[in-house]
Amino acid sequence: MQKQVLAIHDLSCVGRCSLTVALPILSACGIHTSALPTALLSTHTGEFTGYTCLDLTGEMRGIADHLATLPLCFDGVYSGFLGSFEQIELVGEVISRYRRPGALTLVDPVMADHGRLYATYTQEMAAGMGELCRLADVIVPNLTEACILLDRPYEPSPDQKTVRRLLEELASRYGCGQVIITGVKHGDQLGAGGFCAADGTFSFQGAKHLDHVFYGTGDSFASAMMGAMLCGRSTGEAIRIAVDFTHVAMEKTLENGLPLRYGAAFEQALPMLMRSLNLLGGEA
Ligand code: PXL
């Protein structure tokens, strides 16, 4: 049976992030993907000024109510960037409606990066994100978000021992089975640290650090993780696949001299993602 996912993110018209990243990546993983848009923006908020932002909280209620009348049985719900404090409760309700044994809830507590909250986020929203994390099987904060979720000052380059402590604290505070922190540096590598609460194991998967600011890479990573896990990969395997995929997307962006503000060119890494999931012929 084809897997089905509900992706709850904003739609940024230009600049690869959120839905314009999640939908193609999950589709490439063979997953039937439905969308619940949280906000409509002209661009992402990272490196543009003058962007428009329409909060879709009111519309989301109607969409969610209509979807509730359909015989939908999602294998996964995957949430990310939200448009307002008010919609956090609604997203929580939607997650709870479709949560069931065997389905995967992945919450990416998108709200900040490089030590700063995103322009459209408030402290109140940041606190509300923690409530969504409590509903998740898997959370994938970046380092900034991990520190916010733990009420700690931002640490840009924690050592591996500190990363482990952050992972464990997130798992115990929010009750998530799997915690992955992205944007972790280790020697000349950049990657993700993972913790599995069931067996208490830690892992780190990295790739050569490319010293540039890329947008939407957290979304590429989380979408590839979600896709790989729904294709039956273990969390450790999914982290490896998602790190490699995101790294190649960044490499291709640089190799082709593409403007970084429009996000990492993940399109060019989709074939390797599909090969790593045995969805294309040829070698992985
Ligand atoms: O990639 C996270 C993200 C999602 N959506 C919007 C953003 C950002 C990060 O800047 O601005 C609108």
Side-chain angles (χ1 to χ4, degrees):
M1 269 281 278
Q2 190 181 20
K3 296 277 167 89
Q4 274 198 63
V5 163
L6 179 64
I8 311 176
H9 305 258
D10 70 283
L11 176 60
S12 287
C13 299
V14 165
R16 303 171 184 89
C17 70
S18 314
L19 283 178
T20 60
V21 167
L23 299 185
I25 292 174
L26 289 165
S27 297
C29 296
I31 293 161
H32 171 187
T33 312
S34 304
L36 179 55
T38 58
L40 173 65
L41 296 95
S42 51
T43 63
H44 67 68
T45 63
E47 208 187 290
F48 297 93
T49 52
Y51 52 81
T52 66
C53 179
L54 176 67
D55 164 21
L56 294 176
T57 308
E59 194 64 19
M60 282 174 80
R61 166 70 60 197
I63 295 171
D65 286 349
H66 181 216
L67 299 191
T69 67
L70 304 175
L72 290 165
C73 185
F74 292 110
D75 300 286
V77 175
Y78 162 35
S79 74
F81 183 100
L82 303 183
S84 72
F85 174 72
E86 291 69 31
Q87 75 183 221
I88 294 176
E89 195 181 331
L90 170 60
V91 172
E93 282 170 30
V94 171
I95 289 175
S96 302
R97 178 175 305 143
Y98 294 110
R99 232 155 48 120
R100 62 180 170 83
L104 185 68
T105 304
L106 187 148
V107 169
D108 185 355
V110 174
M111 56 181 155
D113 206 358
H114 307 291
R116 292 180 46 196
L117 276 182
Y118 291 137
T120 56
Y121 270 70
T122 59
Q123 293 293 345
E124 193 189 29
M125 283 172 82
M129 272 298 189
E131 296 311 310
L132 285 188
C133 290
R134 288 183 207 285
L135 301 174
D137 303 306
V138 185
I139 59 171
V140 290
N142 60 33
L143 261 181
T144 306
E145 291 155 351
C147 292
I148 294 173
L149 287 169
L150 292 172
D151 305 310
R152 282 166 164 264
Y154 172 57
E155 266 186 84
S157 303
D159 58 21
Q160 291 276 306
K161 209 170 122 217
T162 309
V163 172
R164 285 177 175 223
R165 194 156 4 98
L166 295 175
L167 287 164
E168 257 177 329
E169 283 180 23
L170 284 167
S172 81
R173 179 151 166 185
Y174 293 101
C176 312
Q178 325 269 353
V179 179
I180 294 112
I181 300 181
T182 60
V184 173
K185 291 182 201 124
H186 186 41
D188 68 348
Q189 303 226 309
L190 181 71
F195 175 66
C196 173
D199 57 12
T201 53
F202 293 95
S203 61
F204 173 82
Q205 305 286 351
K208 190 172 168 25
H209 180 31
L210 305 170
D211 200 9
H212 295 271
V213 174
F214 291 92
Y215 294 94
T217 46
D219 299 326
S220 298
F221 177 88
S223 303
M225 275 286 311
M226 184 79 189
M229 290 179 88
L230 285 174
C231 285
R233 298 306 184 273
S234 69
T235 311
E237 289 165 340
I239 298 176
R240 182 71 253 163
I241 288 170
V243 164
D244 288 343
F245 171 67
T246 309
H247 177 74
V248 170
M250 293 189 284
E251 244 179 10
K252 295 282 182 195
T253 315
L254 296 177
E255 266 170 37
N256 293 303
L258 300 172
L260 302 190
R261 66 202 312 233
Y262 297 124
F266 72 89
E267 303 84 1
Q268 302 188 40
L270 286 175
M272 65 94 72
L273 175 64
M274 294 175 74
R275 274 196 297 275
S276 66
L277 295 172
N278 296 328
L279 297 170
L280 276 185
E283 283 179 31

Coordinates of all heavy atoms in Angstrom, one line a residue, residues 10 12 17-18 41 44-46 81 110 118 216 219, ligand 1:
D10 N 4.3 26.2 5.9 CA 3.9 27.3 5.1 C 4.2 27.0 3.6 O 5.0 26.1 3.2 CB 4.7 28.5 5.5 CG 6.2 28.4 5.1 OD1 6.9 27.7 5.8 OD2 6.6 29.0 4.1
S12 N 6.0 29.1 0.9 CA 6.8 30.3 0.5 C 6.9 30.2 -1.0 O 7.5 29.2 -1.6 CB 8.2 30.2 1.1 OG 8.1 30.5 2.5
C17 N 11.9 26.1 0.6 CA 11.8 25.7 2.0 C 10.3 25.2 2.2 O 9.5 25.2 1.2 CB 12.0 26.9 2.9 SG 10.8 28.2 2.8
S18 N 10.1 24.7 3.3 CA 8.7 24.2 3.7 C 8.0 23.4 2.6 O 8.6 22.4 2.2 CB 7.9 25.5 4.0 OG 8.6 26.4 4.8
L41 N 3.6 32.9 2.0 CA 4.5 34.0 2.0 C 5.1 34.2 0.5 O 5.1 33.2 -0.2 CB 5.7 33.7 2.9 CG 5.5 33.6 4.4 CD1 5.3 32.2 4.8 CD2 6.7 34.2 5.1
H44 N 10.8 33.1 1.6 CA 11.1 32.8 3.0 C 11.6 34.1 3.7 O 11.8 35.1 3.0 CB 12.1 31.6 3.1 CG 13.5 31.9 2.6 ND1 14.4 32.8 3.2 CD2 14.2 31.4 1.5 CE1 15.5 32.8 2.6 NE2 15.4 32.0 1.5
T45 N 11.7 34.0 5.0 CA 12.0 35.3 5.7 C 13.5 35.4 6.0 O 13.8 36.4 6.7 CB 11.2 35.3 7.1 OG1 11.7 34.2 7.9 CG2 9.7 35.1 6.8
G46 N 14.3 34.5 5.6 CA 15.7 34.5 5.9 C 16.5 35.6 5.4 O 17.3 36.2 6.1
F81 N 7.1 24.9 9.8 CA 6.9 26.4 10.1 C 5.4 26.7 10.2 O 4.6 26.4 9.4 CB 7.5 27.1 8.8 CG 7.4 28.6 8.9 CD1 8.5 29.4 9.3 CD2 6.2 29.3 8.6 CE1 8.5 30.7 9.3 CE2 6.2 30.7 8.7 CZ 7.3 31.4 9.0
V110 N 10.3 24.3 13.8 CA 10.9 25.4 13.1 C 10.6 26.7 13.8 O 9.4 27.0 14.0 CB 10.3 25.4 11.6 CG1 10.8 26.6 10.9 CG2 10.7 24.1 10.9
Y118 N 13.2 33.4 14.0 CA 12.8 33.9 12.7 C 11.9 35.1 12.8 O 11.2 35.2 13.8 CB 12.0 32.8 11.8 CG 12.9 31.6 11.4 CD1 12.4 30.3 11.5 CD2 14.2 31.9 10.9 CE1 13.3 29.3 11.1 CE2 15.0 30.8 10.6 CZ 14.5 29.5 10.6 OH 15.3 28.5 10.3
G216 N 16.6 26.6 4.0 CA 15.8 25.4 3.8 C 16.4 24.1 3.9 O 15.8 23.1 3.6
D219 N 14.6 21.8 6.2 CA 13.4 21.2 5.6 C 13.8 20.1 4.7 O 13.1 19.1 4.7 CB 12.7 22.3 4.9 CG 12.2 23.4 5.7 OD1 11.9 23.2 6.9 OD2 12.2 24.6 5.3
Ligands
PXL1 O1 13.3 26.7 6.5 C1 12.6 27.2 7.5 C2 11.6 28.3 7.1 C3 10.4 28.0 6.7 N1 9.5 28.9 6.2 C4 9.8 30.2 6.2 C5 11.1 30.6 6.6 C6 12.0 29.6 7.0 C7 13.3 30.0 7.4 O2 13.8 31.2 7.3 O3 11.4 31.9 6.5 C8 8.8 31.2 5.7

